Amino acid sequence: MDILNSRKTILRLGLVVAVPVLAMFLLPAYGQSGQPRFDLPMAFLVGLTLILLTHQAAEKRHRLMQTINLELNKLRRIYHLSRNLSESDSQRYRSWFTELHGHLYRYLSAFSGRDFGCYEDTNSEFRELSYHVYKVPELRSNKEEALYDDLLRTVAKVAESRQQIKESKDSRMSVYVWLVVLLLIVGLVLSVWLSTVDVWTSRLAAGVTLAGFLAVVDLLYEVDTLASEYRSIAQRYVDNVGRIELRRREDE
């Protein structure tokens, strides 16, 4: 997972770390030496909550990336199956395979200049690809029927993967969950502030503590929304255009 791939993300992370440290040195300190600390129970609660939420978001991201890899794998398999089918009778299948290859090329190329947030915008390109599979010429041998059955199953698997990708992409944390996280962070900030003693070591420790928790919240946001990875995910589809084209040139 490569999150630090944009100036915007790096700048935001820098502010997340610098602002709480600076604030703890500028704000008045209300803590007294020897008094009970108010921030330890709150820090434990917030830390446990963020660990659970981040783990769930990471698991969701992992499943999404697996499904994307599956779709790309099956798209390459569509190319190989259709090519093998066309080789059984080049005269009958040449036009069909050429058009199918064009639809596959257009589908993958549709991600060029877009990010993963526009995934649904490629629906029409995929429909053209899947519909063209059904236009196969008459099958005349058991081998052709077996290849075509495998091709149909592969197209169905891609369609299923696309549906799972859409659902996973849109299944972000709810507004309610983010409000709970916000309230917990506010409570943590207040408890740390009220527990800070007016010495530079206590102020530094308080600032670093808050910076660490806020950095985890920022990480949770990135993992949950994939905001910084949208461009790179879309590029994976575009990169597969070159892989298919290279294989085709090697076969010719």
Side-chain angles (χ1 to χ4, degrees), residues 137-190:
E138 180 185 358
L139 305 173
R140 296 180 179 176
S141 68
N142 292 335
K143 177 184 177 181
E144 292 177 355
E145 291 178 356
L147 287 172
Y148 186 64
D149 286 343
D150 198 353
L151 180 59
L152 290 178
R153 287 193 296 269
T154 304
V155 172
K157 192 63 180 180
V158 174
E160 179 184 350
S161 299
R162 281 181 55 83
Q163 183 60 37
Q164 292 176 358
I165 290 171
K166 294 174 188 176
E167 293 175 357
S168 181
K169 182 176 71 72
D170 296 333
S171 63
R172 300 175 181 175
M173 286 169 45
S174 66
V175 175
Y176 177 76
V177 174
W178 279 113
L179 285 176
V180 171
V181 171
L182 177 62
L183 291 174
L184 289 175
I185 291 297
V186 170
L188 177 65
V189 170
L190 290 177

Side-chain angles (χ1 to χ4, degrees), residues 195-212:
S195 299
T196 302
V197 181
D198 191 15
V199 294
W200 74 271
T201 53
S202 178
R203 289 178 178 274
L204 178 62
V208 171
T209 299
L210 292 180

Side-chain angles (χ1 to χ4, degrees), residues 195-248:
S195 299
T196 302
V197 181
D198 191 15
V199 294
W200 74 271
T201 53
S202 178
R203 289 178 178 274
L204 178 62
V208 171
T209 299
L210 292 180
F213 277 98
L214 292 177
V216 175
V217 173
D218 185 68
L219 174 64
L220 174 60
Y221 169 79
E222 288 290 346
V223 176
D224 181 59
T225 63
L226 298 175
S228 296
E229 296 186 86
Y230 268 19
R231 187 69 67 178
S232 61
I233 292 175
Q235 186 61 38
R236 298 181 66 177
Y237 286 83
V238 180
D239 291 343
N240 271 264
V241 173
R243 296 177 65 179
I244 292 176
E245 285 298 307
L246 177 62
R247 289 194 179 97
R248 189 180 188 186

Side-chain angles (χ1 to χ4, degrees), residues 17-30:
V17 173
V19 169
V21 174
L22 182 61
M24 286 297 103
F25 276 96
L26 296 178
L27 294 174
Y30 295 100

